[in-house]
Amino acid sequence: MSLRLAIHASAISHVVTIASGLLSVPLFLSAFGLQNFGFWSALLGLSSYLSLLNFGVAQAVSSGASRAPKNSPTAVPRLVQQGLRFYVRVSAVAIPVAAVVGLSCPWSAWFGMGEANDLSSRLAAAAVFTTFLLELPFTVFRASLSGAGYVATERMLGITLLLARLAMSFVFSRMHPPLWLAVLALSSLNLGASAITCLALRRHFPLLLSPLPSHDSPTSEAVDAEQGNGDRFGSISRDFFILQIAGALVWSTDALIAGIALDTTAAAHVATAWRVISIVLSVGAIVAPAVAPTLAQLWSSGEKERARALSMEAAQVVFALMIVGTLGLSTTGASLFTLWLGEGKFAGQGPWQVYSAIIVVQALLVIPDAFVTQSASHRGYARFTVVEALLKISSSLVLMHFFGLIGLPLGTILSRAATTLWLLPTVFVKATEQSLTSWALNVIRPALLPSSSFLAIFLIGTSVLGFSSDLATVVTGVVAGLVFLVAFALFGLPPRLRTRLLRRSEAS
């Protein structure tokens, strides 16, 4: 596995994800209108509960692939086949139920869309739910490809899919198809990408789809035993399932709650806000998925010092990149949305600032989460996140009742600060034998000076020089962000990483 190639592919994937997200939202709004886009966003939030039918098996397959014996040609194929069989059984039962629910519920009445949209809303709901379940079994291919260390391949396939979806969204903006038909078309792209991923995985594991006799290869439980891990595949899957339940409640329900409690316009505001916020949150996806398999392998093989060094470098870089993104969004949010989508699409300064604060919390948790889950050390973490999810839902509803839309992100950040923000780093530093306080300070410290540079440049541009138009505000934020990155490269970049980069630049 090439860690450098994996990181480069992840970086390219992130750039494409940003561009695709920014371009696709106005295209989808043009194709379906604000009301239908908000309804679709709410349905996608509701379908997050269907993701609970994942039962954590895909994550367990990914973790198992990272820890599988390298000399076994059947260990990874066996894990994949086990996951496929499980998901096929689940989907066969769940698809008819999801179709009936989608077609029978009065969605247009629930979301205030009017009787004229009754049939189309039912068809759209059925399409969203059934296509999600049709695609579910094939998630094991991407999970195992990444877990086995072929992160670059998995990322490049994901980039291809993003570009294809963007092209299709452009077609939608010109043809204005019914929402249900657009959902089916997008699902066909996803299924085609899954087939290509299967072929890519089969190149590395020729026995991927071949019958595997039980006596010539270790089972997934034996794989765990060979890696010194007493957890069985079933218990690992169960713990991932618990994490998935909590994650669905915490991260995928805001648009749904806003749509039901307020209206589809609020759901659209939340959905567009999350689209931008998720771009910065996904910065962690540049580094975390690329280093997680290596971290898990180093840790499981007893090379804890190397694992600690790699995790610290990764955490410092991820934190700095997410902080510069947070500063940029926090200072330019209203102007950015006006230039991007026009007037009336911004969620408001209050909700926006709280959503930005969520990124700061997440910036500390990216690498601990990647390590803990990939190394299958997540049992206690999984159970505790259920408390976080219950706190998020209850507090968001209460706060939204009193304060409106801002209550949704407030509930998220308060519940995370009260639970996962301290628990996950605690689990991580215990597993890697570090001090929590020392670890946190070492992660945060390199970003302090660059952050001060950003704020100084932005305040000079907007307050002293008077750059106040929407375009000037965004440009000032970009310039301040570049100053941040230069300051971080000079004064905050981990020394060992800076040395490697300098040697590479001199060699070229």
Side-chain angles (χ1 to χ4, degrees), residues 287 291 309-321 363-364 366-368 428 439 442-444 488 494:
V287 180
V291 303
L310 178 59
S311 66
M312 178 56 68
E313 292 177 352
Q316 289 173 335
V317 172
V318 167
F319 184 81
L321 292 177
L364 281 170
V366 170
I367 297 302
F428 169 69
W439 173 83
N442 286 332
V443 171
I444 296 172
F488 180 73

Side-chain angles (χ1 to χ4, degrees), residues 185-424:
L186 290 171
S187 180
S188 68
L189 281 181
N190 295 337
L191 291 172
S194 296
I196 296 173
T197 305
C198 175
L199 295 176
L201 187 62
R202 195 175 183 183
R203 287 183 56 195
H204 301 289
F205 303 100
L207 300 178
L208 183 68
L209 302 179
S210 302
L212 300 177
S214 58
H215 64 276
D216 70 344
S217 176
T219 63
S220 55
E221 289 84 359
V223 168
D224 287 329
E226 290 181 18
Q227 298 301 305
N229 192 325
D231 287 338
R232 297 172 65 85
F233 183 85
S235 64
I236 294 175
S237 300
R238 183 183 62 246
D239 294 333
F240 277 124
F241 177 51
I242 294 172
L243 276 176
Q244 195 168 350
I245 293 174
L249 293 172
V250 172
W251 299 113
S252 303
T253 56
D254 280 13
L256 174 64
I257 294 173
I260 293 176
L262 299 175
D263 51 36
T264 53
T265 299
H269 284 159
V270 171
T272 53
W274 261 115
R275 182 64 65 97
V276 178
I277 293 295
S278 64
I279 290 173
V280 181
L281 288 174
S282 66
V283 168
I286 297 176
V287 180
V291 303
T294 301
L295 282 175
Q297 291 165 7
L298 291 173
W299 178 77
S300 62
S301 63
E303 299 181 73
K304 294 186 177 181
E305 186 60 36
R306 290 183 61 194
R308 282 193 294 269
L310 178 59
S311 66
M312 178 56 68
E313 292 177 352
Q316 289 173 335
V317 172
V318 167
F319 184 81
L321 292 177
M322 293 181 71
I323 290 302
V324 68
T326 304
L327 290 169
L329 293 184
S330 177
T331 53
T332 67
S335 298
L336 179 65
F337 269 77
T338 300
L339 293 172
W340 178 36
L341 299 175
E343 299 289 344
K345 306 300 191 303
F346 186 50
Q349 283 293 348
W352 184 250
Q353 297 304 325
V354 181
Y355 275 125
S356 297
I358 291 174
I359 306 176
V360 180
V361 173
Q362 285 303 108
L364 281 170
L365 302 180
V366 170
I367 297 302
D369 179 87
F371 171 81
V372 169
T373 53
Q374 195 69 30
S375 62
S377 306
H378 58 292
R379 173 172 293 179
Y381 166 45
R383 283 154 177 75
F384 206 80
T385 55
V386 176
V387 178
E388 177 191 359
L390 296 176
L391 282 175
K392 181 266 184 334
I393 296 296
S394 58
S395 61
S396 291
L397 289 173
V398 171
L399 292 169
M400 188 170 58
H401 175 74
F402 288 103
F403 304 110
L405 189 58
I406 194 175
L408 285 172
L410 275 176
T412 300
I413 197 168
L414 290 176
S415 60
R416 177 135 288 215
T419 55
T420 310
L421 179 59
W422 61 267
L423 176 74
L424 183 56

Side-chain angles (χ1 to χ4, degrees), residues 29 34-47 111 128 179 252-256 264 267-272 275:
L29 283 170
L34 184 62
Q35 185 182 62
N36 277 330
F37 179 77
F39 177 57
W40 185 27
S41 301
L43 287 177
L44 293 176
L46 188 59
S47 69
F111 286 89
V128 169
L179 182 56
S252 303
T253 56
D254 280 13
L256 174 64
T264 53
H269 284 159
V270 171
T272 53
R275 182 64 65 97

Side-chain angles (χ1 to χ4, degrees), residues 416-504:
R416 177 135 288 215
T419 55
T420 310
L421 179 59
W422 61 267
L423 176 74
L424 183 56
T426 300
V427 175
F428 169 69
V429 297
K430 182 179 180 180
T432 54
E433 301 176 358
Q434 300 182 75
S435 163
L436 177 59
T437 302
S438 176
W439 173 83
L441 290 175
N442 286 332
V443 171
I444 296 172
R445 188 181 297 113
L448 295 179
L449 177 61
S451 297
S452 300
S453 302
F454 180 101
L455 294 174
I457 294 298
F458 187 82
L459 290 175
I460 290 172
T462 56
S463 299
V464 178
L465 301 179
F467 297 151
S468 58
S469 69
D470 291 326
L471 180 59
T473 299
V474 172
V475 170
T476 304
V478 171
V479 172
L482 293 175
V483 171
F484 179 106
L485 294 175
V486 171
F488 180 73
L490 294 175
F491 306 108
L493 199 65
R496 192 173 63 166
L497 182 57
R498 185 188 298 113
T499 300
R500 288 201 297 266
L501 292 176
L502 288 174
R503 288 175 179 174
R504 189 179 306 164

